[in-house]
Amino acid sequence: RKAQRAARIYLARFRAAIQIQKTWRCFKVHIDFFVCVIGIEQLQSFVRRRISALKAKRRLWAVQIVQGFSRLALKKIQAATMIQKHTRGLLERLHREDESDAATRIQTQYRGYVEQTEYLQMVVSARFIQDGFRIWREQRHCKIIQRSFRSFIFRRHTEISAVRLQRRWRNKKIRQNFLLLRQQVVTLQSFVRAQVVRSMMPREVKKASVRVLKANRQARLDPSQTLGARMAWALAEIDRQPSMGKITRAVMTLEIATRLCKKSCFDLSRADAMKILIKTAQSCNRSLPHIELIQYILKTFVNVARHEELIHAIATEHAGGLYIDLLQTFRDKEEIFQSAVSLLKSSLAHNGGLLKHMQGSGESIKRLKQIKEIKAKKEGAQLMAAPTRLNRTKARANPNKNKNSHRRKSGSVLALESLGEIIWMLEPQKCHGL
């Protein structure tokens, strides 16, 4: 235990000695560091004082140089000012001398001009007085001559006027008699020709003409045969959806009424008959009665489309779908195809809602492009086909038929161009570009 206690005491003392040594070394290092810092600060202050002294000397030298240049420049400016002063004085004296000479010359010229103008005015006045006197003297002699000449002309004009009036009156009287005689001859000739035509007319034609005259008289007396009454009957028949023959006759009546009367078009639009006609056309097929019915319906639409304020009635979304269906179904029927193309073009041009709706549906543009490709191929094949000898012989034998076929081809080409314009209107990127 004593040994352990001694060892602990030794270790404690050893540790204390180490701690004292560490503290002393640290204090010594701090003292050395502070001494170095103080020395560095003194060195820095000395260097800064030296640099500031050098800068002050340089500034003094610069100020002295600037002052020297400033004094030299000031002397130069004073010399230039003195030179400019004397130069301006000289120029001013020369300018005043030039002005004095110019004023003297102007006054001389003006006095000469005034004297010359007064002399010329005196000469002109004298000539004017002389001319006036000569004119007065000549007029005095001319008045006598004019008075005699006027009296002669008046007498001659009176005689000539009387002769002309007599000649005009005789011509008018003779012409009236001639016109009356010619009218009588023409009336007599018309009666004779009518009698000859009636005598040469077959019995059936005579009966038909009698029936036509009788039917016209009855139509004038019967209110139910007026255009408005027949149109009301046609609308009622379409509402009842009777047989195909009655519907065709009703649509035919509507086509005649809209073609002959603008008021009928407005009545048809107010009666909302366009929707019924569109539904009727959508239910048709490729049979001959249905084709005839579709033709009359399209003619009715064309008659209504002639009036811009009624185009909205045939420019609906259902109508646009109907036109595209007709183009696809009846592309080989020229009359239906052309009417549908023109109606679709007018509808798109006057109804922006229909145009946006069809632009949004890519199916419509795709169908129209397919129809145009098929139709263009067919028309191209017909135009490129070489005429055979038999065809040329038929063309020479029947030239009217050849003209009609040429017109039909030109109409189909115009319809294809209109269809191309419709497709161009419906393409979204081009429409946005516009």
Side-chain angles (χ1 to χ4, degrees):
R1 289 180 180 177
K2 289 180 181 181
Q4 289 178 354
R5 186 181 302 164
R8 290 190 189 96
I9 293 170
Y10 175 76
L11 288 174
R13 289 178 180 176
F14 182 75
R15 290 174 182 170
I18 290 172
Q19 188 68 30
I20 291 168
Q21 290 175 359
K22 186 188 296 183
T23 304
W24 171 253
R25 289 191 192 97
C26 183
F27 174 74
K28 190 176 180 180
V29 169
H30 280 292
I31 293 298
D32 294 337
F33 173 73
F34 286 139
V35 171
C36 290
V37 168
I38 292 169
I40 289 169
E41 287 179 354
Q42 290 178 357
L43 180 62
Q44 286 178 349
S45 63
F46 175 76
V47 171
R48 288 192 187 97
R49 286 195 299 273
R50 187 67 179 172
I51 290 172
S52 62
L54 291 175
K55 286 183 178 180
K57 287 183 180 181
R58 289 178 182 177
R59 288 174 185 171
L60 181 62
W61 293 342
V63 168
Q64 291 176 355
I65 292 169
V66 170
Q67 286 178 354
F69 280 111
S70 299
R71 293 189 186 95
L72 181 62
L74 185 61
K75 290 180 181 179
K76 290 182 179 179
I77 290 170
Q78 289 176 355
T81 305
M82 185 64 68
I83 293 169
Q84 289 175 357
K85 186 189 297 183
H86 289 289
T87 304
R88 291 192 189 98
L90 178 62
L91 291 176
E92 186 67 25
R93 287 192 296 274
L94 293 175
H95 181 67
R96 287 183 180 178
E97 290 178 359
D98 293 338
E99 286 182 351
S100 178
D101 294 339
T104 304
R105 291 177 184 176
I106 291 170
Q107 289 174 358
T108 304
Q109 295 292 331
Y110 179 73
R111 292 190 186 99
Y113 170 75
V114 169
E115 293 294 334
Q116 188 177 3
T117 303
E118 289 178 356
Y119 173 73
L120 291 175
Q121 285 179 355
M122 291 172 63
V123 172
V124 170
S125 300
R127 289 180 180 177
F128 182 75
I129 292 169
Q130 292 174 357
D131 293 338
F133 178 74
R134 293 190 187 99
I135 291 170
W136 174 79
R137 188 175 60 185
E138 290 175 358
Q139 285 180 353
R140 186 176 179 183
H141 295 288
C142 289
K143 284 180 180 179
I144 300 170
I145 299 171
Q146 289 176 355
R147 194 179 300 118
S148 302
F149 182 73
R150 288 193 188 100
S151 62
F152 169 74
I153 291 295
F154 179 73
R155 289 194 300 271
R156 186 177 178 183
H157 183 69
T158 305
E159 293 175 359
I160 293 172
S161 301
V163 172
R164 287 181 179 176
L165 287 173
Q166 292 173 2
R167 186 169 60 247
R168 294 288 178 85
W169 171 253
R170 294 190 193 99
N171 291 336
K172 184 178 180 182
K173 190 67 176 176
I174 294 170
R175 183 171 177 77
Q176 287 179 353
N177 295 332
F178 169 73
L179 292 176
L180 181 61
L181 180 60
R182 190 179 67 174
Q183 184 65 31
Q184 293 173 356
V185 172
V186 170
T187 305
L188 182 60
Q189 288 176 352
S190 64
F191 279 114
V192 172
R193 290 194 188 97
Q195 185 64 29
V196 172
V197 171
R198 281 193 292 271
S199 64
M200 296 174 63
M201 188 184 298
R203 185 178 299 175
E204 290 80 5
V205 177
K206 290 181 180 179
K207 292 181 179 179
S209 63
V210 171
R211 288 198 300 270
V212 169
L213 292 174
K214 187 177 179 181
N216 288 332
R217 293 193 194 98
Q218 290 179 357
R220 292 190 187 97
L221 297 175
D222 189 4
S224 63
Q225 295 297 322
T226 59
L227 197 61
R230 294 180 64 184
M231 186 173 174
W233 169 81
L235 292 174
E237 287 292 324
I238 293 174
D239 288 335
R240 289 193 297 107
Q241 294 289 333
S243 61
M244 181 57 65
K246 291 184 178 180
I247 292 178
T248 304
R249 285 194 297 273
V251 176
M252 189 188 306
T253 303
L254 291 177
E255 191 273 330
I256 294 171
T258 53
R259 175 160 44 89
L260 298 178
C261 182
K262 182 179 179 179
K263 184 180 177 182
S264 300
C265 298
F266 284 92
D267 295 339
L268 189 67
S269 177
R270 283 195 294 269
D272 204 9
M274 296 299 177
K275 295 181 180 179
I276 301 173
L277 292 177
I278 291 170
K279 290 180 181 179
T280 305
Q282 287 175 347
S283 63
C284 294
N285 52 30
R286 287 181 60 86
S287 62
L288 292 179
H290 286 181
I291 290 174
E292 184 180 4
L293 177 60
I294 290 173
Q295 289 176 352
Y296 284 120
I297 290 173
L298 291 179
K299 287 179 180 179
T300 305
F301 286 174
V302 170
N303 295 333
V304 173
R306 289 184 303 178
H307 313 289
E308 293 186 0
E309 57 270 21
L310 297 178
I311 294 181
H312 64 87
I314 61 166
T316 59
E317 295 181 3
H318 297 289
L322 171 64
Y323 301 147
I324 296 176
D325 293 338
L326 293 178
L327 289 174
Q328 189 170 11
T329 307
F330 300 98
R331 58 179 177 271
D332 54 341
K333 307 295 181 183
E334 294 297 334
E335 186 176 358
I336 297 176
F337 186 81
Q338 295 175 12
S339 300
V341 168
S342 64
L343 288 171
L344 182 58
K345 185 178 178 181
S346 301
S347 301
L348 293 175
H350 290 82
N351 191 352
L354 178 61
L355 180 63
K356 292 181 181 179
H357 173 72
M358 296 188 72
Q359 285 176 356
S361 62
E363 185 67 23
S364 301
I365 303 174
K366 184 177 179 181
R367 291 173 64 186
L368 290 173
K369 287 183 178 179
Q370 292 176 356
I371 294 167
K372 183 184 176 184
E373 291 177 359
I374 296 170
K375 192 71 176 176
K377 288 181 181 179
K378 183 178 178 181
E379 293 296 331
Q382 288 181 359
L383 292 174
M384 293 298 294
T388 60
R389 183 179 299 174
L390 181 60
N391 292 334
R392 289 196 294 268
T393 306
K394 289 181 179 179
R396 294 195 192 102
N398 194 359
N400 294 325
K401 185 176 180 181
N402 191 14
K403 291 180 182 178
N404 294 331
S405 64
H406 176 70
R407 290 173 186 170
R408 192 181 305 115
K409 286 182 181 179
S410 63
S412 61
V413 170
L414 291 175
L416 277 177
E417 292 178 357
S418 300
L419 186 59
E421 293 178 3
I422 292 170
I423 296 172
W424 182 79
M425 291 168 63
L426 292 178
E427 288 181 350
Q429 66 274 13
K430 293 184 178 179
C431 293
H432 291 312
L434 288 175

